[in-house]
Amino acid sequence: MGQTLEAVAIDYHTENYRDAYSRINAIVIEGEAEAYSNYLQLGELLPEFTEDFTRLAKMEDRHKKGFIACGKNLKVTPDMDFAEKFFAELHGNFQKAFATGDIVTCLLIQSLIIECFAIAAYNIYIPVADPFARKITEGVVKDEYLHLNFGEEWLQNHFDDSKAALEQANRQNLPIVWKMLNQVENDAKVLGMEKEALVEDFMIQYGESLGKIGFNTRDIMRMSAMGLVA
Ligand code: Y39
Ligand code: FE
Ligand code: FE
Ligand code: FE
């Protein structure tokens, strides 16, 4: 018998799939909710851009609603306690930075790290998603590129004054992302998403962003490897 090359069909209705989905879906819902409030807070820190940030925040709120619908469609109850803990460390660092008016760290956490994490996750998810979630996620990921772009542009325009703070914030926050990824590695795999693919997509996106902002290749290598362990 000759082997045929075709995608392995995923059964979206198994207990195993729905259990994993209850955590991944919750993470995405919580992430979108936090992104909403992060952008409103960024709008407070940068009054000349309040309108822009409010627009981005509204998109995040729409994303959250879309992903809530994806969970409902699969009759999954999102595990929001898990998701809140999942984001706690990054969320805490954003709040600390906000409290001291540290715009650069807030932008690095939300607009670079979290947006690149979202772009990687959504791009890897789309080909293996159920048809309903695929459609929603395709719409969402387009917005995430706009969000990433907005942060990149501000940081590019303030690169000389932000460089040191960006390096420090990267050193503090990038290792948290790798820990987060390890926590969901198994659940992601159940959904058809490989950790290696997620890391690769994140690295490409994040590295490209650092380059656009003004870092050289050597900086990018050093910064994106920060805290990465196997
Ligand atoms: O800007 C945004 O909309 C980001 C909040 C959303 C982040 C979603 C985080 C996705 C991580 C999923 C990990 C699955 C393996
Ligand atoms: Fe079905
Ligand atoms: Fe979003
Ligand atoms: Fe976003």
Side-chain angles (χ1 to χ4, degrees):
M1 284 273 277
Q3 280 198 330
T4 51
L5 284 170
E6 56 180 49
V8 176
I10 297 173
D11 190 340
Y12 304 107
H13 304 288
T14 63
E15 193 47 51
N16 192 37
Y17 188 93
R18 292 172 61 254
D19 175 60
Y21 207 83
S22 73
R23 286 177 293 279
I24 302 286
N25 184 232
I27 284 168
V28 169
I29 292 168
E30 175 67 20
E32 297 293 352
E34 292 191 16
Y36 169 80
S37 76
N38 289 349
Y39 279 123
L40 290 182
Q41 288 184 296
L42 273 161
E44 287 180 45
L45 293 181
L46 286 165
E48 65 269 46
F49 295 110
T50 302
E51 268 183 44
D52 297 277
F53 282 121
T54 304
R55 191 164 41 79
L56 303 193
K58 282 180 181 157
M59 292 183 194
E60 304 296 18
D61 190 54
R62 271 203 303 280
H63 299 170
K64 184 185 82 174
K65 288 179 174 130
F67 289 125
I68 288 173
C70 293
K72 284 215 172 91
N73 179 55
L74 295 178
K75 300 186 169 60
V76 165
T77 305
D79 185 345
M80 298 311 296
D81 289 339
F82 175 84
E84 224 177 285
K85 288 188 200 108
F86 180 80
F87 276 107
E89 206 177 347
L90 216 47
H91 182 66
N93 285 350
F94 184 96
Q95 292 309 324
K96 268 183 237 159
F98 175 74
T100 62
D102 182 352
I103 294 162
V104 173
T105 297
C106 286
L107 280 173
L108 178 111
I109 292 174
Q110 174 58 47
S111 298
L112 298 190
I113 288 187
I114 297 181
E115 296 295 353
C116 286
F117 195 21
I119 288 169
Y122 298 161
N123 277 333
I124 301 300
Y125 177 54
I126 285 167
V128 293
D130 67 82
F132 180 87
R134 182 178 308 170
K135 221 165 163 155
I136 301 251
T137 310
E138 281 168 347
V140 168
V141 75
K142 288 192 192 115
D143 290 344
E144 309 302 4
Y145 284 104
L146 300 177
H147 301 172
L148 174 61
N149 205 257
F150 195 86
E152 283 170 354
E153 274 186 18
W154 192 93
L155 290 166
Q156 187 178 37
N157 292 332
H158 300 79
F159 183 62
D160 292 336
D161 298 331
S162 308
K163 191 167 188 266
L166 280 171
E167 295 209 26
Q168 157 67 20
N170 175 78
R171 178 185 302 276
Q172 192 186 18
N173 291 288
L174 197 60
I176 299 173
V177 173
W178 304 131
K179 279 194 278 176
M180 291 163 82
L181 209 46
N182 285 335
Q183 278 179 55
V184 288
E185 180 180 359
N186 293 335
D187 288 331
K189 200 178 164 74
V190 172
L191 269 52
M193 305 158 77
E194 294 289 340
K195 183 189 168 189
E196 286 67 33
L198 291 162
V199 170
E200 183 182 307
D201 222 72
F202 177 88
M203 289 284 222
I204 290 169
Q205 208 56 247
Y206 192 61
E208 262 182 29
S209 292
L210 294 176
K212 268 200 219 166
I213 290 166
F215 287 102
N216 65 35
T217 307
R218 194 184 174 84
D219 294 331
I220 295 168
M221 295 295 171
R222 192 171 37 77
M223 287 172 76
S224 44
M226 200 69 70
L228 179 63
V229 277

